[in-house]
Amino acid sequence: PAPPAPAPPAPAAAAAPAAPAAAAARAADRVGGYRVEALLGRGVFATVARALDLGALGRGAPRTVALKVCRADAAAAAAAAREAAALRALGPGAPSVARLLGAFEDRGRAVLVLEPLREDLRACYKRCRRRRDAPSLGGVPVPLARAAAAGLGAALAHAHGAGVAHLDVKPDNALVDAARSRVVLADFGSARTSGEPPLDSAYVASRYYRAPETCLGLGHPAFPADVWALGVTLAEAATGKLLFTGRDNHALLRAHAARLGPPPPRTFAAARFAAKHLLPGGALRARPAAEGAAAAADDAAAPRPLAAVLAGSGATTRAAGELLDLVEAALRWDPARRLDAAAAGASRFARGA
């Protein structure tokens, strides 16, 4: 899938070394039985390219695919293996999930062969934001935003039903077809199955899409964290603007509170990092405790509730209200009170009815 656009970039899910030149795939390169036609982008672990299946040339129409060429190191190989295993577990008929067509190794690099799609939601909303050629809330056209809710909700519902948590839902991992009518979920390189031990980390998922329970170390009820990231992704795609930002987890929690109000008392009392981020009554500290909360200046974002961020007018008023209902239900502080992915995919906003 396509990588983050350069400005503003989505922070990486975890620190990793820069991709070495060995991971690069250049136009006209041969990668296994494929010829690279164009580079689509580069991420932390892999380069993604559009390629031609040379083996299909003698069998009629040439087949275009997307190749995900991973770095030649153990971490990238493990991510590729995790992604391939997750996609196989979901099955070839998984709704709104980028289809895995094959996998092989080339010169020490793991390579995934995926269905080709036009672009990711971040690139799409940036292009649409410049053109403004259809009714929108500032980002992608309303019909495409509805298709994203339906497609990503269905993909996550299927994954969760199979015991797979994606753990890196964001616009960069939501791919749009050429007709701009279908949105699929891609990049399962961070996925975890219900049979695996939970990740004991406050840095799961890309930062701006990270759920509060992850930041606070409540444990990892991973399916609600995916739904949180879905809500953030849909709001961003629809408006063309990042919903939450922050240089670290504490700043991110402060940004959550600026949009959603303070966390309910006692919701995170048992969280591993509660004392670092929260006062005894449950309110957020101005700064993390280790940095001297009492003396530190409060640099939280100015409060601006979701209703103001997702406001529409004229032809978009109804869509804005339906999107607000969906996003509010996805972004509840308490993970146990969030709607599930199936409900998101079947919401009034997603149905457009």
Side-chain angles (χ1 to χ4, degrees):
R26 296 178 295 274
D29 272 1
R30 287 283 295 270
V31 179
Y34 300 86
R35 185 178 69 225
V36 173
E37 298 288 295
L39 293 183
L40 301 178
R42 181 172 297 167
V44 172
F45 289 114
T47 296
V48 180
R50 186 175 70 248
L52 194 65
D53 182 354
L54 298 177
L57 290 176
R59 303 195 301 267
R63 183 176 73 151
T64 299
V65 300
L67 291 185
K68 187 172 185 177
V69 184
C70 297
R71 287 194 334 235
D73 62 37
R82 180 174 292 280
E83 178 167 11
L87 290 173
R88 289 182 179 124
L90 298 184
S96 299
V97 171
R99 289 181 294 123
L100 178 69
L101 305 177
F104 60 94
E105 186 175 301
D106 177 77
R107 290 168 284 177
R109 304 171 299 180
V111 181
L112 301 183
V113 185
L114 301 159
E115 67 171 312
L117 289 153
R118 177 176 176 174
E119 61 187 345
D120 65 58
L121 265 182
R122 189 182 304 281
C124 188
Y125 80 62
K126 289 190 172 185
R127 182 170 49 77
C128 293
R129 191 172 57 192
R130 291 191 299 268
R131 294 177 58 181
R132 296 290 181 93
D133 55 357
S136 77
L137 299 176
V140 301
V142 168
L144 180 54
R146 293 187 188 279
L152 298 179
L156 286 174
H158 181 83
H160 294 172
V164 175
H166 186 278
L167 296 181
D168 200 19
V169 178
K170 57 185 177 181
D172 316 281
N173 292 336
L175 304 184
V176 184
D177 69 0
R180 294 202 307 188
S181 61
R182 176 173 170 253
V183 180
V184 305
L185 185 61
D187 198 343
F188 281 73
S190 299
R192 305 283 291 188
T193 66
S194 54
E196 293 181 281
L199 290 170
D200 185 20
S201 171
Y203 300 97
V204 177
S206 295
R207 187 191 314 141
Y208 297 165
Y209 310 91
R210 192 174 294 154
E213 64 269 22
T214 302
C215 299
L216 287 160
L218 188 61
H220 293 286
F223 298 163
D226 274 350
V227 171
W228 174 280
L230 172 62
V232 178
T233 293
L234 293 176
E236 180 179 335
T239 63
K241 297 178 181 178
L242 291 165
L243 185 61
F244 302 121
T245 61
R247 65 183 181 275
D248 53 30
N249 277 351
H250 191 78
L252 185 65
L253 289 166
R254 300 286 290 174
H256 293 165
R259 294 278 184 265
L260 309 174
R266 310 301 299 168
T267 300
F268 300 110
R272 182 178 170 192
F273 305 118
K276 176 180 180 180
H277 297 293
L278 305 175
L279 295 168
L284 282 163
R285 295 178 181 274
R287 291 281 182 86
E291 297 177 14
D298 187 346
D299 62 352
R304 190 174 181 225
L306 278 178
V309 176
L310 300 178
S313 62
T316 62
T317 300
R318 176 184 144 195
E322 292 170 350
L323 178 60
L324 177 63
D325 289 343
L326 170 56
V327 173
E328 284 183 332
L331 301 187
R332 290 174 179 145
W333 281 100
D334 186 347
R337 296 188 61 246
R338 285 178 211 146
L339 85 172
D340 61 23
S347 64
R348 284 191 306 147
F349 181 74
R351 298 195 317 269

